[in-house]
Amino acid sequence: MTRTLHIDFVSDIVCPWCVVGLGGLETALEALKAEGITAEVHFRPFELNPQMPPEGENVGEHIARKYGSTPEQSAANRAMITERAEDAWPGFRMQMGPDSRIWNTFDAHRLLHWAATVGPAEQRALKAALFTAHFTEGRTMTDAGVLADAAAAAGLDRAKAVEVLSGDLHAAEVRAAEALWVSRGINSVPAVVVEGKWLISGGQPASVFEEALRKMAAGG
């Protein structure tokens, strides 16, 4: 069997489970190559906190306000997610701490949309660079310079990235894409949509992705 699957990876760059999910998905796809199963992966926008102000919010305060978690619960959750992320994505370093911040990510999604117009490999490289900037380096993800640096780290033209970020280029497209996925019932991420009809939800391990994708490639 030879099959190329269309996969829409709906996610946010400040979502730690999206790191887990992408690592698991890519590991599964690497294993499935031997069976003739490949995929075209497209990164689609979803904002966890669209009303977040530019200065962001302390992650502990944010989690406490949103979910009612205590500082101790937040710390335990960060430790667990860090372990899961580093298991799922070998070599990735997640360094979240009590002083980490959560950010508005609209401009990052505009930049990802632009990267997709350059090519899928470039978009994937930018996704990884943005994850690194946020989770490993703890940078300010609303800062245009930080986002342009991530573009450059991904091998994209930094000057073009600055041009995108200096205005509202691709804003309408990102808003439309976000609305589309919400209209299709996506209300949490990561959401891995396969062939526009199957959904794999959450930061699943590679084994779950592998089994599901094998069945989907065979027609369900």
Side-chain angles (χ1 to χ4, degrees):
M1 174 179 63
T2 300
R3 180 78 187 274
T4 299
L5 298 168
H6 179 104
I7 295 178
D8 293 301
F9 190 89
V10 188
S11 61
D12 200 356
I13 58 106
V14 294
C15 162
W17 287 110
C18 296
V19 176
V20 175
L22 183 56
L25 174 63
E26 292 187 335
T27 298
L29 288 172
E30 186 62 32
L32 289 169
K33 283 182 181 178
E35 301 173 33
I37 301 169
T38 60
E40 297 175 352
V41 180
H42 305 268
F43 295 98
R44 307 303 189 189
F46 187 97
E47 289 181 80
L48 288 171
N49 304 287
Q51 306 306 318
M52 184 69 67
E55 65 272 18
E57 184 178 10
N58 173 274
V59 68
E61 294 173 3
H62 175 77
I63 296 300
R65 179 176 55 78
K66 196 169 185 178
Y67 302 109
S69 300
T70 66
E72 293 76 18
Q73 289 170 328
S74 292
N77 284 335
R78 284 195 301 272
M80 180 268 292
I81 294 172
T82 295
E83 183 177 353
R84 284 285 308 276
E86 294 178 358
D87 284 345
W89 192 330
F92 188 86
R93 292 294 301 159
M94 185 170 282
Q95 303 195 109
M96 294 186 297
D99 296 324
S100 296
R101 298 187 74 76
I102 198 85
W103 304 101
N104 182 293
T105 55
F106 185 67
D107 282 346
H109 287 300
R110 289 200 299 122
L111 206 60
L112 282 162
H113 184 94
W114 162 69
T117 69
V118 180
E122 288 81 1
Q123 190 192 36
R124 192 272 174 203
L126 178 59
K127 187 76 169 181
L130 290 168
F131 278 151
T132 296
H134 176 59
F135 289 110
T136 306
E137 300 170 354
R139 303 192 74 188
T140 301
M141 302 309 293
T142 52
D143 186 305
V146 168
L147 298 178
D149 286 346
L156 289 154
D157 185 323
R158 191 182 191 282
K160 294 265 190 185
V162 169
E163 183 180 339
V164 170
L165 295 165
S166 65
D168 62 356
L169 197 61
H170 303 310
E173 294 96 320
V174 170
R175 294 285 188 217
E178 290 176 334
L180 173 66
W181 292 108
V182 170
S183 76
R184 292 182 178 178
I186 303 301
N187 53 33
S188 63
V189 289
V192 182
V193 181
V194 184
E195 293 293 314
K197 58 183 178 179
W198 292 300
L199 173 66
I200 306 171
S201 295
Q204 302 292 344
S207 59
V208 172
F209 278 115
E210 188 175 338
E211 181 180 359
L213 293 173
R214 185 179 289 111
K215 290 179 180 177
M216 292 169 186

